[in-house]
Amino acid sequence: MTAVSGPPHGGRAKLADVAKLAGVSVGTASKALNGNGRMRPETRQRVLAAVEALDFRPNQHAQSLHTGRSWTVGLMTTDGIGRFSTPVLLGAEDALGAGKISVLLCDTRGDAIREQHHLRNLMDRRVDGIIVTGRRTDPRPPLTGIEPIPTVYALSPSTDPNDMSVVSDDRSGAQLAVEHLLATGRTRIAHVTGPAHHAAARDRAQHTVELLEHSSLALSTGRIHYGEWSEAWGRRAAEAVLRAAPDTDAFFCGNDQIARGVADRLRENGMDVPGRVAVVGYDNWDVMALACRPPLTTIDTNLAEIGRQAALRLLDAIGGNPEPGVRTVPCRLVVRESS
């Protein structure tokens, strides 16, 4: 789409200007903005991009009276720190903001009573839809008593397969990490991760074992090292791994905090990273990955894209075209000096 600084006739942009720039009819542009009607995702994206380019500002009061919509979406999170929910929120706002839809953020702090309180407030505000996210990948029970408000679960999927969920593809993340280490000549790989009762730790560990077996290899110590999501655990685990398997030539860690702890202990023991031992983390958390010495190769879970995809699915559901089921978002490998 050609860059446009404003409507061709000057003054405030009209819906017809948006339709012309997007190459669609006025009716299609209206449906895209209202979240109504069946259309290709790229068509809706073209309309939203035209809205952004023209700085189109629909009359929300008139639209609300006409459509019965509030032009607001609730985003409910259990991640009070914001480490995971903030990127998801930003991705969702990128998709929703172009259509001038406001986002109301509610932090439940993992408390069921607080969650019900926020739900009542969102329903009183007549939100058009809800996005639910958290700080873990474990499935969570669906919200109750909200029918017929469309709801999409982001990062933390719903336990109900008929709900709409968007999650990170942990298998693709583990595959990127393992294949990267194998490509650099590593064959004695240890896996250090978080608590076994966390889905992220279990899933990444299981995928790692399966991928190594596919290459006729096994973990250097013969087992998964479960522990905490912390640097302290990474340091302790590095010592345990090297005692059990001194010939270990790579660590694939379940998150960046663990990986930074591993790298610290290796450096303290005089072991060259990545010359002697390579280290790969998970999450691409800049605070950890860039502060690590050397800077950490890691897996980016594409949290912003998870939020964007969740918002687009919600828009389709608001328009009457829900697509139940789980959709996965691929990870990407970020190579730095630790491997």
Side-chain angles (χ1 to χ4, degrees), residues 192-194 225-238 258:
V192 180
T193 191
H225 293 264
Y226 289 107
E228 306 163 355
W229 300 114
S230 70
E231 295 172 74
W233 164 239
R235 288 191 290 270
R236 295 196 304 272
I258 295 172

Side-chain angles (χ1 to χ4, degrees), residues 31-225:
K31 290 177 182 178
L33 292 178
N34 293 339
N36 295 325
R38 184 182 297 275
M39 67 185 65
R40 295 165 63 91
E42 51 266 37
T43 302
R44 191 186 303 278
Q45 280 294 94
R46 282 208 318 274
V47 174
L48 295 179
V51 167
E52 189 71 21
L54 295 172
D55 193 27
F56 174 66
R57 300 179 183 276
N59 186 324
Q60 300 287 27
H61 179 66
Q63 284 189 316
S64 296
L65 292 175
H66 177 67
T67 65
R69 289 185 53 186
S70 66
W71 300 94
T72 56
V73 164
L75 192 144
M76 186 170 294
T77 177
T78 61
D79 180 21
I81 298 174
R83 162 67 188 93
F84 296 98
S85 63
T86 297
V88 172
L89 170 62
L90 293 175
E93 282 192 325
D94 282 345
L96 297 170
K100 308 304 178 185
I101 297 175
S102 299
V103 177
L104 302 176
L105 178 62
C106 303
D107 177 16
T108 71
R109 305 178 195 175
D111 182 85
I113 296 177
R114 187 181 294 269
E115 179 174 280
Q116 287 302 312
H117 167 73
H118 284 307
L119 273 178
R120 286 193 296 270
N121 284 340
L122 292 176
M123 294 175 69
D124 288 344
R125 289 173 177 265
R126 304 182 64 84
V127 294
D128 297 324
I130 300 174
I131 296 174
V132 183
T133 188
R135 61 175 177 263
R136 291 169 57 173
T137 62
D138 298 77
R140 56 148 294 154
L143 301 180
T144 58
I146 59 170
E147 297 81 1
I149 301 175
T151 303
V152 178
Y153 299 82
L155 187 63
S156 305
S158 169
T159 53
D160 186 343
N162 292 318
D163 285 334
M164 297 179 289
S165 299
V166 181
V167 301
S168 179
D169 186 352
D170 270 341
R171 180 173 181 80
S172 78
Q175 183 172 358
L176 288 169
V178 171
E179 289 181 348
H180 171 69
L181 289 171
L182 296 179
T184 60
R186 318 292 173 160
T187 58
R188 299 284 294 163
I189 301 171
H191 188 62
V192 180
T193 191
H197 63 274
H198 283 202
R202 291 194 312 274
D203 293 345
R204 292 165 193 174
Q206 178 184 342
H207 296 322
T208 299
V209 171
E210 292 173 352
L211 290 161
L212 288 174
E213 289 177 347
H214 185 71
S215 297
S216 301
L217 295 172
L219 293 168
S220 66
T221 61
R223 69 182 184 89
I224 302 296
H225 293 264

